[in-house]
């Protein structure tokens, strides 16, 4: 449109740059979590995730090898030599010291005079030579404080800890399956119930239809906070208690208004001719519904299925009220993460990984079925 | 039994039960109760067709009634009773107790703050994103990315943003982005420009927009008094009063901003700074909801007839005039829809506050206050009373929606 006058507006560039800025701003937080979940504890604690591709500076306390076993006589002196780091390390020492009060006393390659002829040399790659008399080179290995540049390092260890370790506080494996167990029935049951109701509201004539539709629209916005206490009392009263059945029923009830609303609006738009022809040909209402309406309504069904899946997967409140009992056996991922925030609030490697495990599935669903989600949103925002 | 297997069986039973119900009840109706044969075949078919809608509707009506309609009434009743006295009727005692708690008023104030800031910011960003991405080649990709947070749970988003807000002692490397950026400011000219002048200009802009809205609301009364219904008058006056309050508050904030001594060079625990920490929580929801606003508004922008835009350009309107004076007025209806939908989300906001601060440091909101009363204080009376407050806040939107739906059906 900017090209109407025949010149390319300079505004186009501004648009590109502004869009890029907005996109970067929006993706930046998620990338931070993603990157952090692959970093080691040391790296997370020594630098921000945005610096993960550049070398990070770490302070470490290391020890020379045990003198009694490793010392080698050199004239009347004894020498212990070796490398401070484990094999294959690419760390580079910048400064080091032999006392905790002066950890940056010497630069790499320098020789420290430790008094009475005892000396220590540490090279940038971690090679050291500790030289002294029989008495000095004995007991425990000399402590060495180094400040080293660690090259970027990524690890899958966090995912192992979170998914496979079976650790009681960290493990997300059980919560993952619990979440699945909540989600799948809680997505399918409302669809089945709502599809029939939507068909009745869209294509069958009976007194009170308009009133029912208005009721559904009204219930669409009733906050589920209102339902918590009465329904918990009801569940406890009739013996369902806290458990999967309760949470399935609750999700079904809370999801129904949107399901009916979306499906009815879609079904009303289907061509009348098809349905009337089928009726003339002697099809029963049940056949019309299962053979004609359901297949034609697939886009609307898919839209709602994604909504309900995302909503039940990401839900915390309903699970906390209707599912999770004192034993915590049925915890879901969102709840597990909130508990991790309490118990391991500073352990970002665990937190980031756990959070990413929980958001990975919705993200996959989102990117795979974005089209239906958008379509559902456009139909579902109450006009 | 393993939960996975249990889940599978329940899916089969639940879904099978549902389908079985629909199939067999229809069979029963057609073959046994009103069979379409014999002397009364015609009459029977008619009768069956009168009953059938209710067969189709029964499970849905039952679930809706039990899980949504009944709780509204029951919560209202519970809010008037006392659990510790075996559910004796206590009138408005629960409400009185609630109104006397400072935590409740704190929750109300914060909810109102959320109610203004989050829908406004999400809609504004969404509109911006929709307009920007609409006409560039990689717009679809950009949209996908801005839309993506919709799939992330509030809890997941809370972890993401806690990583941004995390603070470490000043002598250690900062691993939270916000503190890392904060420590770049030392109080020089750059700091003044970015941290004082820029926010002040933005606040002024906000105040200007709000004042303009107030002007629009009051316009009918300023001119030759065309008659309006009392309800509309009250709404307009209330809206204008609220807008005036916002303008005064934001101007006062600007004054405060310039007189404030900012603690440069010290890492901040962002979530513990009273009042401002509310905004750090709101950012999470804005981040999530902008994608929603963008998707809906982008569809609306595409629906604008090209001719109106072209005519404006031919008449010499610049791109900003086209956007604000041609496009925005045409999608005003959609903007209102987006705004109210986000408002509904905001009124019920729970997870973000629960996971990030749990209402500490003056960040309480109504839904979390209610959860607190319900499961920590075990006070069902006050818990129900606060739920009713949420319901009252929602009900104008409920009535408006029902009114519109009925109008559309006619």
């Amino acid at each position: 449109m900017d090209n109407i006058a025949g010149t390319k507006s300079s505004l186009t560039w501004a648009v590109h740059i502004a869009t890029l800025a907005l996109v970067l701003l929006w993706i930046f937080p998620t990338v931070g979590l993603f990157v952090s979940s692959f970093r080691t504890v040391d790296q997370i604690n020594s630098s921000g995730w945005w610096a993960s591709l550049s070398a990070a500076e770490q302070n470490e306390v290391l020890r020379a090898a045990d003198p009694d076993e490793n010392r080698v006589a050199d004239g009347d002196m004894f020498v212990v030599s070796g490398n401070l780091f484990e094999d294959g390390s690419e760390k580079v020492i910048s400064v080091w010291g032999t006392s905790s009060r002066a950890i940056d006393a010497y630069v790499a390659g320098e020789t420290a005079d430790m008094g009475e002829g005892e000396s220590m040399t540490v090279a940038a790659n971690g090679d050291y030579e500790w030289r002294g008399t029989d008495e000095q080179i004995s007991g425990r290995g000399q402590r060495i404080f180094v400040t080293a540049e660690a090259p970027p390092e990524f690890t899958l260890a966090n995912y192992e800890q979170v998914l496979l370790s079976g650790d009681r506080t960290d493990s997300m494996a059980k919560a993952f399956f619990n979440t699945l167990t909540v989600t799948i029935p809680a997505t399918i049951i409302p669809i089945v119930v709502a599809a029939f109701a939507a068909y009745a509201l869209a294509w069958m004539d009976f007194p009170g239809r308009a009133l029912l539709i208005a009721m559904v629209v009204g219930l669409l916005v009733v906050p589920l906070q209102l339902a918590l206490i009465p329904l918990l009392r009801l569940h406890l009263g009739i013996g369902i208690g806290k458990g999967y059945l309760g949470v399935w029923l609750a999700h079904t009830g809370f999801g129904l208004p949107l399901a009916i609303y979306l499906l009815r609006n879609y079904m009303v738009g289907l061509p009348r001719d098809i349905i009337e022809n089928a009726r003339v040909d002697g099809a029963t209402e049940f056949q019309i519904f299962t053979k004609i309406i359901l297949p034609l309504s697939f886009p609307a069904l898919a839209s709602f299925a994604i909504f309900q899946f995302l909503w039940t997967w990401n839900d915390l409140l309903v699970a906390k009220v209707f599912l999770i009992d004192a034993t915590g056996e049925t915890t879901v991922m969102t709840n597990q993460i909130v508990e991790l925030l309490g118990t391991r609030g500073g352990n970002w490697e665990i937190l980031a990984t756990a959070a990413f495990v929980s958001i990975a599935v919705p993200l996959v669903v989102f990117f795979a079925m974005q089209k239906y989600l958008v379509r559902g949103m456009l139909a579902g925002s109450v006009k | 039994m393993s939960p996975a297997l249990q889940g599978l069986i329940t899916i089969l039973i639940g879904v099978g039960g549902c389908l079985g119900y629909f199939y067999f009840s229809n069979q029963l109706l057609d073959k046994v109760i009103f069979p379409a044969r014999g002397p009364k075949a015609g009459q029977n078919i008619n009768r069956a067709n009168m009953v059938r809608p209710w067969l189709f509707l029964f499970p849905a009506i039952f679930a809706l009634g039990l899980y949504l309609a009944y709780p509204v009434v029951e919560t209202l009743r519970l809010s008037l009773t006392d659990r510790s006295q075996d559910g004796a009727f206590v009138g408005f005692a629960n409400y009185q107790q609630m109104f006397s708690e400072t935590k409740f008023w704190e929750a109300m104030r914060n909810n109102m703050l959320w109610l203004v800031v989050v829908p406004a910011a999400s809609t504004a960003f969404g509109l911006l994103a929709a307009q920007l991405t609409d006409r560039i080649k990689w717009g679809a990709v950009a949209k996908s990315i801005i839309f993506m947070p919709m799939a992330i749970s509030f809890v997941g988003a809370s972890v993401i943003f806690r990583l941004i807000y995390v603070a470490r002692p000043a002598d250690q490397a900062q691993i939270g982005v916000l503190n890392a950026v904060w420590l770049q400011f030392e109080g020089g000219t750059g700091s003044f420009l970015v941290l004082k002048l820029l926010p002040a200009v933005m606040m002024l802009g906000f105040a200007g927009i709000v004042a303009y809205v107030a002007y629009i609301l009051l316009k009918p009364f300023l001119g030759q008094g065309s008659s309006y219904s009392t309800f509309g008058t009250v709404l307009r006056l209330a809206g204008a009063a609220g807008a005036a309050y916002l303008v005064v508050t934001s101007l006062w904030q600007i004054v405060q901003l310039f007189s404030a001594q900012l603690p440069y060079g010290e890492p901040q625990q962002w979530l513990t700074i009273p009042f401002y920490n509310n905004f750090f929580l709101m950012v999470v929801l804005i981040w999530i909801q902008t994608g929603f606003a963008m998707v809906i508004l982008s569809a609306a922008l595409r629906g604008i007839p090209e001719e109106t835009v072209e005519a404006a350009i031919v008449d010499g309107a610049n791109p900003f005039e086209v956007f604000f004076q041609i496009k925005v007025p045409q999608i005003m209806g959609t903007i209102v829809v987006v705004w109210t939908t986000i408002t509904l989300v905001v009124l019920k906001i729970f997870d973000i506050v629960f996971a990030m601060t749990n209402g500490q440091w003056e960040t309480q909101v109504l839904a979390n206050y209610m959860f607190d009363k319900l499961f920590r204080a075990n006070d069902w009376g006050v818990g129900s009373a606060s739920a009713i407050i949420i319901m009252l806040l929602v009900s104008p939107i409920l009535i408006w929606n029902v009114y519109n739906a009925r109008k559309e059906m006619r």
Side-chain angles (χ1 to χ4, degrees):
Chain A
M1 173 192 35
D2 293 324
N3 299 329
I4 282 175
T7 55
K8 192 158 178 132
S9 165
S10 64
L11 204 63
T12 317
W13 279 107
V15 167
H16 278 282
I17 292 168
T19 315
L20 191 65
L22 204 62
V23 166
L24 289 180
L25 194 66
W26 245 253
I27 202 170
F28 186 78
T30 320
V31 173
L33 188 82
F34 183 67
V35 171
S36 294
S37 73
F38 289 103
R39 302 183 79 203
T40 62
V41 189
D42 288 342
Q43 291 207 311
I44 286 185
N45 286 331
S46 59
S47 67
W49 64 266
W50 55 90
S52 61
L53 283 179
S54 57
E57 199 163 76
Q58 295 172 3
N59 292 322
E60 285 181 76
V61 184
L62 301 160
R63 210 175 259 285
D66 186 3
D68 297 333
E69 287 170 22
N70 295 303
R71 71 182 190 179
V72 179
D74 180 15
D76 55 348
M77 303 288 261
F78 286 91
V79 177
V80 178
S81 59
N83 191 297
L84 289 168
F85 302 124
E86 62 251 51
D87 287 343
S89 164
E90 289 168 30
K91 291 176 184 172
V92 179
I93 296 173
S94 53
V95 291
W96 58 281
T98 53
S99 147
S100 60
R101 273 165 296 164
I103 61 169
D104 53 355
Y106 311 101
V107 296
E110 229 179 326
T111 301
D113 180 7
M114 297 158 75
E116 296 171 16
E118 187 183 357
S119 68
M120 170 74 78
T121 310
V122 177
N125 64 359
D127 285 341
Y128 66 92
E129 192 180 76
W130 180 23
R131 178 181 286 275
T133 61
D134 178 30
E135 202 178 308
Q136 286 161 342
I137 310 295
S138 63
R140 298 186 67 190
Q142 171 67 37
R143 279 199 300 174
I144 302 169
F145 300 84
V146 303
T147 301
E149 291 266 306
E153 186 187 346
F154 295 99
T155 171
L156 285 171
N158 300 331
Y159 284 91
E160 241 164 68
Q161 169 76 2
V162 162
L163 288 177
L164 305 173
S165 73
D167 184 293
R168 258 202 82 75
T169 53
D170 290 351
S171 174
M172 295 288 280
K174 193 175 67 184
F176 186 91
F177 283 110
N178 289 346
T179 307
L180 262 184
T181 314
V182 170
T183 306
I184 294 174
T187 306
I188 298 176
I189 297 174
I191 291 182
V192 176
V193 173
F196 280 93
Y199 174 65
L201 290 176
W203 286 107
M204 290 169 141
D205 241 340
F206 58 92
R209 190 171 78 158
L211 189 72
L212 274 178
I213 296 171
M215 249 184 69
V216 169
V217 173
L219 291 176
L220 212 49
V221 302
V222 169
L224 68 89
Q225 268 83 3
L226 260 86
L228 301 183
I229 308 177
L231 290 182
L232 186 59
R233 268 167 57 113
L234 182 79
H235 281 180
L236 295 176
I238 61 176
I240 295 176
K242 283 187 161 198
Y244 287 116
L245 185 58
V247 83
W248 288 326
L249 291 175
H251 275 311
T252 302
F254 301 148
L256 265 183
L258 182 66
I260 298 177
Y261 181 79
L262 273 183
L263 293 176
R264 183 204 163 259
N265 279 2
Y266 189 86
M267 287 178 186
V268 156
L270 295 175
R272 175 174 287 271
D273 294 355
I274 304 181
I275 293 153
E276 276 175 1
N277 281 347
R279 276 194 186 137
V280 169
D281 289 348
T284 66
E285 293 284 345
F286 193 78
Q287 282 169 333
I288 294 176
F289 176 73
T290 49
K291 302 237 169 81
I292 299 174
I293 301 284
L294 271 193
L296 284 178
S297 306
F298 176 76
L301 294 172
S303 297
F304 174 73
I306 298 168
F307 270 125
Q308 183 76 356
F309 175 81
L310 289 179
W311 153 242
T312 47
W313 185 279
N314 291 339
D315 158 77
L316 171 69
L317 185 58
V318 176
K320 258 186 125 53
V321 174
F322 293 108
L323 175 64
I324 300 161
D325 53 18
T327 63
E329 279 301 307
T330 49
T331 186
V332 293
M333 286 206 286
T334 45
N335 186 58
Q336 185 87 359
I337 291 170
V338 171
E339 275 171 17
L340 278 178
L341 279 172
T343 54
R344 315 215 31 165
N347 297 59
W348 280 104
E349 72 287 355
I350 298 295
L351 273 177
T353 314
F356 200 78
V357 166
S358 98
I359 64 177
V361 174
L363 282 185
V364 169
V365 171
F366 170 83
F367 281 115
M369 309 192 70
Q370 203 178 352
K371 187 175 81 182
Y372 293 108
L373 188 66
V374 170
R375 205 180 287 183
M377 255 175 200
L378 290 174
S381 52
V382 187
K383 293 193 192 74
Chain B
M1 207 190 321
S2 87
L5 189 65
Q6 198 192 359
L8 203 67
I9 291 174
T10 317
I11 295 169
L12 290 179
I13 293 176
V15 177
C18 272
L19 290 174
Y21 159 79
F22 286 115
Y23 181 75
F24 287 113
S25 63
N26 272 283
Q27 288 291 322
L28 191 72
L29 189 70
D30 287 335
K31 300 274 153 64
V32 182
I33 303 177
F34 297 119
R37 58 179 185 274
K40 292 186 188 165
Q43 194 188 352
N44 274 353
I45 289 176
N46 283 342
R47 279 188 185 161
N49 282 341
M50 273 170 65
V51 178
R52 200 180 332 270
W54 301 104
L55 283 185
F56 275 48
L57 280 167
F58 171 73
I61 291 181
F62 180 75
L64 283 178
L66 188 63
Y67 277 83
L68 286 168
Y70 154 76
V72 175
V73 182
E74 178 69 1
T75 304
L76 189 62
R77 190 186 71 80
L78 282 173
S79 75
L80 301 174
T81 61
D82 188 344
R83 191 191 190 191
S84 58
Q85 298 173 30
D86 279 338
F89 183 78
V90 291
F92 288 100
N94 288 320
Y95 290 90
Q96 272 169 358
Q97 191 197 332
M98 185 169 74
F99 291 148
S100 68
E101 283 183 29
T102 48
K103 221 37 185 164
F104 169 75
W105 290 111
E106 178 195 313
M108 277 299 264
R109 182 203 70 178
N110 289 342
N111 251 66
M112 292 303 138
L113 216 54
W114 279 75
L115 217 50
V116 174
V117 176
V118 175
S122 307
T123 313
F125 275 119
L127 195 55
L128 179 71
Q131 171 66 17
L132 285 178
T133 53
D134 236 10
R135 294 183 186 277
I136 55 180
K137 271 187 198 145
W138 52 288
V141 180
K143 263 188 198 150
S144 261
I145 290 173
I146 295 175
F147 192 31
M148 183 190 70
M150 278 301 286
I152 295 176
S153 62
F154 289 157
V155 174
S158 300
V159 175
I160 290 176
F161 276 84
R162 269 176 75 139
L163 182 58
I164 288 179
Y165 297 147
V166 68
R168 310 246 306 202
D171 57 343
Q172 291 178 26
Q174 293 299 326
I175 62 171
V177 179
L178 200 57
N179 268 312
V181 172
W182 170 250
L183 291 183
Q184 301 297 315
F185 294 108
E186 289 132 0
T189 326
S191 305
F192 176 80
L193 285 179
V194 177
L195 293 177
K196 298 213 162 170
L197 203 59
L198 186 68
V201 169
M202 278 160 58
M203 285 289 254
L204 262 183
F206 173 73
I209 292 170
V210 174
Y212 181 67
V213 171
Y215 167 71
I216 291 177
L217 285 173
L218 290 177
K219 213 168 164 185
F221 308 117
L222 300 177
Q224 50 299 74
S226 49
S227 63
Y228 274 87
S229 66
T230 11
F231 183 62
T233 312
V234 170
L235 265 187
R236 276 167 186 274
L237 286 178
Y245 170 77
L246 280 176
V247 170
V248 173
T249 320
S250 41
L251 290 178
W252 176 239
Q253 286 296 326
I254 294 174
V255 175
Q256 292 226 307
L257 185 68
F258 278 105
S259 59
Q261 287 289 327
L262 298 176
Y264 295 112
E266 293 164 33
Q268 298 292 308
Q269 294 280 358
W270 301 106
L271 292 177
T272 64
I273 306 170
F275 187 69
Y276 294 98
N277 50 11
N278 285 304
F279 294 92
F280 292 119
L281 297 187
M282 288 177 211
V283 166
V284 184
L285 193 56
I286 295 170
W287 180 68
I288 292 176
Q289 292 293 335
T290 294
F292 164 75
M294 177 196 68
V295 165
I296 309 269
L297 293 173
S298 153
L301 281 177
R302 292 223 173 127
I304 293 176
E306 274 299 307
E307 304 87 68
T308 59
V309 177
E310 275 164 22
I313 292 174
V314 169
D315 286 350
N318 67 37
F320 289 99
E321 284 172 340
V322 169
F323 182 67
F324 284 106
Q325 291 173 17
I326 307 295
K327 288 187 172 177
V328 170
Q330 292 195 67
I331 59 168
M332 214 51 197
T334 314
I335 292 179
V336 171
V337 169
V338 168
W339 192 293
T340 46
T341 311
I342 299 176
T343 302
L344 287 172
V345 177
V346 170
L347 279 170
K348 294 182 274 189
I349 192 67
F350 163 76
D351 312 34
I352 292 176
V353 177
F354 184 77
M356 288 190 80
T357 63
N358 199 6
Q360 297 174 84
W361 309 295
E362 298 179 24
T363 54
Q364 190 67 294
V365 292
L366 279 174
N368 194 48
Y369 172 84
M370 184 212 163
F371 189 84
D372 224 44
K373 284 287 165 207
L374 208 51
F375 294 102
R376 245 165 262 136
N378 240 329
D379 189 341
W380 289 12
V382 176
S384 301
S386 51
I388 292 292
I389 299 287
I390 300 177
M391 183 70 208
L392 285 179
L393 291 174
V394 169
S395 44
I397 300 176
L398 188 151
I399 294 165
W400 175 248
N401 278 351
V402 172
Y403 172 77
N404 276 341
R406 300 214 55 143
K407 203 167 64 181
E408 236 170 66
M409 263 184 297
R410 256 179 234 126

